[in-house]
Amino acid sequence: MKETVKSYLTNEWKNTESYTQVKEEIKREITGSGNITAEGQISIMGVEGDSNENTYYGTGAGANLDIDGSGDDAWYNTFLGYGAGINTTVGDSNTFVGSAAGFSNTTGSGNVFIGNNAGLNETGSNKLYIDNSSTSSPLIYGDFSANSLKVNGSFEVTGTLALPGAGTPGAGKVLISDASGNAAWQALPAETGDISSVTAGTGLTGGGTSGDVTLNVDTTSIQGRVSDTCSAGSSIRQINQNGTVICETDDVHGEEGDAQGNTYFGKGAGTNLDVSGEDNAFFGSNAGFSTSSGDWNVFLGIAAGYSNTTGYSNTFLGNSAGYSNTTGSGNVFIGYGAGYNETGSNRLYIDNSTTTTPLIYGDFTDGSEMVQINGTLDTAGNMITVNKADTSAGTGAGTKAPGMSWAGTGRLNIGWGGKGGGNLIAYSKGHATRPGEFFF
């Protein structure tokens, strides 16, 4: 068979009608492979067009075109690529370029599908698909029957874009859109007059009758309408239309000290000081808020010494330190909330809370001086000397120091009348075998 076919493939025979008839017959007989792969193969892909002027190149391309002359034949199709238009039977004037392009189109006509699998599922007519996949929303889609084109993505023009279909274009016209997105050219409304002059009104200066003009605020007029003032320690917050003002208390004041030598920083600090209160220093919001005539106080911290009115010589350091002390004097409170509830005088509180038993408590009262440790006292030094003037008799461990304990490793001396001047009643040797062991 192979040699017989080859013997007929001469240039002379290819130009005869019988060659075309044999080629079409072989095409109808061969299924699956689409061609004869042996040497001297016969193509079934329409090298120069068949009798109905169809052209197709690629395995399976146009394999089912009806060109038997029975009446409803396929005409003027161009299929290029593997399987391009493979299922088309009687459609006309289709152009399918790309592998499997127009795969499902059997009877549609006038379609243009370009790209791999382009229009693979399209079965209609007069459609444009340009894409590299089988998507139903190609990058470029068109309908030749409706003269419409759609870009499924961004559209950029680097040159000049003309839109003659949006009405009548013209110089100075603008493009507007309706609710459906339809564009139309529209002329701008004509200008309806010129400004011949600008006159400065109340509170303004400037203006003119030609060229570029400016208007400025007349500061003398604007300031002149303010008819009200604020008292010392407050400032204007609002100017009303009639010139009256609304005042508010200054947030920070007394920066350099007032006439009485008081210095205070912070909103509400020293708010109630009068002329009889001297040489106070209040730092922090509401520090010394209630102080009126007290002197020589130092309050540092938010609400430190808040309730003090006439107390003097107090030193309160810490947020809310000495908060409740109203008339006490000579107190020293150090730490957050230290001495918060103490109302007396000459007291020492060192703690970080509002407790009434601070870690260190003391009394500065002359003749009654004392320091109390509300906790364990420990030292790694060589000596602690505790001297207390007391002439009353007493012997034995704990007589003058009831409840006292010692956890140090050095020497502890407890005496009365001053170091070396009183009676030594107890001491702990440096070589004591356990803390708190006393010898008398």
Side-chain angles (χ1 to χ4, degrees), residues 54-297:
N54 298 297
T55 300
Y56 28 91
Y57 289 91
T59 302
N64 293 296
L65 283 174
D66 186 352
I67 56 173
D68 59 6
S70 61
D72 193 14
D73 288 0
W75 290 83
Y76 315 120
N77 295 289
T78 300
F79 301 151
L80 176 59
Y82 175 86
I86 189 172
N87 292 308
T88 302
T89 57
V90 296
D92 301 327
S93 304
N94 294 295
T95 302
F96 300 158
V97 180
S99 178
F103 181 88
S104 301
N105 199 288
T106 58
T107 60
S109 297
N111 295 296
V112 177
F113 301 156
I114 302 174
N116 180 65
N117 290 325
L120 185 134
N121 298 304
E122 178 60 65
T123 59
S125 298
N126 298 312
K127 299 296 188 289
L128 169 65
Y129 279 70
I130 299 179
D131 208 286
N132 61 356
S133 71
S134 62
T135 177
S136 60
S137 300
L139 181 62
I140 300 176
Y141 171 82
D143 189 329
F144 296 106
S145 62
N147 287 326
S148 66
L149 182 68
K150 181 179 182 180
V151 176
N152 290 298
S154 300
F155 182 65
E156 181 179 349
V157 177
T158 58
T160 301
L161 177 64
L163 299 173
T168 304
K173 287 188 175 182
V174 294
L175 197 64
I176 64 172
S177 171
D178 63 15
S180 300
N182 298 312
W185 292 108
Q186 180 174 312
L188 291 171
E191 297 181 0
T192 58
D194 296 326
I195 298 176
S196 58
S197 65
V198 176
T199 303
T202 304
L204 299 174
T205 61
T209 58
S210 63
D212 295 333
V213 299
T214 59
L215 293 174
N216 302 295
V217 175
D218 183 355
T219 55
T220 59
S221 175
I222 296 299
Q223 294 296 100
R225 76 183 186 88
V226 180
S227 60
D228 209 350
T229 61
C230 293
S231 60
S234 62
S235 303
I236 296 175
R237 180 171 65 86
Q238 177 180 318
I239 300 175
N240 298 315
Q241 187 174 6
N242 61 1
T244 60
V245 300
I246 296 176
C247 303
E248 66 176 3
T249 302
D250 293 338
D251 292 340
V252 178
H253 51 93
E255 184 171 341
E256 296 296 336
D258 57 22
Q260 288 72 43
N262 298 299
T263 302
Y264 28 92
F265 289 90
K267 184 176 182 179
T271 295
N272 293 292
L273 274 171
D274 59 31
V275 294
S276 60
E278 298 180 351
D279 302 322
N280 295 286
F282 302 151
F283 299 90
S285 176
N286 291 323
F289 177 85
S290 303
T291 302
S292 57
S293 59
D295 304 322
W296 311 302
N297 296 293

Side-chain angles (χ1 to χ4, degrees), residues 5-16 19:
V5 173
K6 288 180 63 178
S7 67
Y8 281 101
L9 296 179
T10 64
N11 291 332
E12 291 79 5
W13 184 58
K14 286 184 178 180
N15 295 324
T16 65
Y19 170 78

Side-chain angles (χ1 to χ4, degrees), residues 300 304 315-322 332-340 349-354:
L300 174 60
T315 303
F316 300 159
L317 309 180
N319 189 312
S320 300
V332 176
F333 301 156
I334 302 174
Y336 174 88
Y340 186 95
Y349 279 70
I350 300 178
D351 208 288
N352 62 355
S353 71
T354 61

Side-chain angles (χ1 to χ4, degrees), residues 345-427:
S345 299
N346 300 312
R347 299 291 190 268
L348 168 66
Y349 279 70
I350 300 178
D351 208 288
N352 62 355
S353 71
T354 61
T355 179
T356 57
T357 55
L359 180 64
I360 300 176
Y361 171 80
D363 189 337
F364 298 105
T365 303
D366 189 26
S368 300
E369 296 92 337
M370 59 86 69
V371 175
Q372 177 178 315
I373 307 299
N374 291 299
T376 301
L377 178 63
D378 188 7
T379 180
N382 293 323
M383 182 187 299
I384 291 180
T385 301
V386 181
N387 298 312
K388 177 64 179 177
D390 192 332
T391 57
S392 61
T395 60
T399 299
K400 294 304 178 182
M404 182 176 181
S405 62
W406 174 247
T409 57
R411 180 185 299 275
L412 175 65
N413 291 332
I414 300 175
W416 280 260
K419 180 179 178 181
N423 296 315
L424 178 65
I425 64 167
Y427 69 92

